[in-house]
């Protein structure tokens, strides 16, 4: 079973909305941060939004005011509400979690398999 399970990707029209969700498996301990990255064809993977355990958030300038990230610490899940979507938002979106498989292991990055988001008429 994948350690990060993503859902919510799909095809939407410009101006539409979409909600992405990511759930970390129980094998990941001490999660300190969760977030979303995206990669469009021919471009490098870029940060979209992150949220720390404290609730502090960070957004890419291109999505501020349109996207909202939220986290459920008890369930080890993170969601990304995307509103007023634009064609330039089209990309594969990847969930990212910073945690560890055992308390004695160092913290590292976990990545989801990616979910396609396409914004087009």
């Amino acid at each position: 079973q994948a350690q990060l399970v993503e859902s919510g990707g799909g095809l939407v029209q410009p101006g539409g909305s979409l909600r992405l969700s990511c759930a970390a498996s129980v094998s990941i301990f001490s999660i300190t941060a969760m977030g979303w990255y995206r990669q469009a064809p021919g471009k490098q993977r870029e940060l979209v939004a992150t949220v720390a355990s404290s609730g502090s958030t960070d957004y890419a300038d291109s999505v501020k005011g349109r996207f909202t990230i939220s986290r459920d610490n008890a369930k080890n899940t993170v969601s990304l509400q995307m509103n007023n979507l634009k064609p330039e938002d089209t990309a594969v979106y990847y969930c990212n979690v910073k945690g560890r498989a055992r308390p004695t292991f160092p913290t590292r990055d976990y990545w989801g398999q990616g979910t396609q988001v396409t914004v087009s008429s």
Side-chain angles (χ1 to χ4, degrees), residues 8-89:
L11 173 65
V12 296
Q13 296 184 12
S17 298
L18 201 63
R19 185 178 181 86
L20 304 182
S21 296
C22 175
S25 75
V26 295
S27 66
I28 302 178
F29 294 83
S30 301
I31 295 175
T32 58
M34 307 181 79
W36 292 91
Y37 290 70
R38 67 186 182 187
Q39 187 169 22
K43 296 184 178 180
Q44 193 169 350
R45 186 177 299 185
E46 64 176 356
L47 182 146
V48 178
T50 60
V51 57
S53 298
S54 64
S56 178
T57 58
D58 188 34
Y59 295 91
D61 289 340
S62 60
V63 306
K64 288 181 179 178
R66 299 189 298 119
F67 291 10
T68 302
I69 190 168
S70 60
R71 173 179 176 177
D72 187 330
N73 291 331
K75 297 182 178 180
N76 284 350
T77 59
V78 62
S79 298
L80 184 68
Q81 179 65 45
M82 304 184 292
N83 298 325
N84 191 25
L85 284 161
K86 303 176 180 180
E88 49 263 43
D89 294 318

Side-chain angles (χ1 to χ4, degrees), residues 73-115:
N73 291 331
K75 297 182 178 180
N76 284 350
T77 59
V78 62
S79 298
L80 184 68
Q81 179 65 45
M82 304 184 292
N83 298 325
N84 191 25
L85 284 161
K86 303 176 180 180
E88 49 263 43
D89 294 318
T90 297
V92 177
Y93 284 68
Y94 297 90
C95 180
N96 171 262
V97 170
K98 297 185 184 298
R100 46 189 165 191
R102 287 179 177 270
T104 56
F105 285 6
T107 299
R108 71 172 183 88
D109 286 301
Y110 294 82
W111 293 93
Q113 64 183 9
T115 183

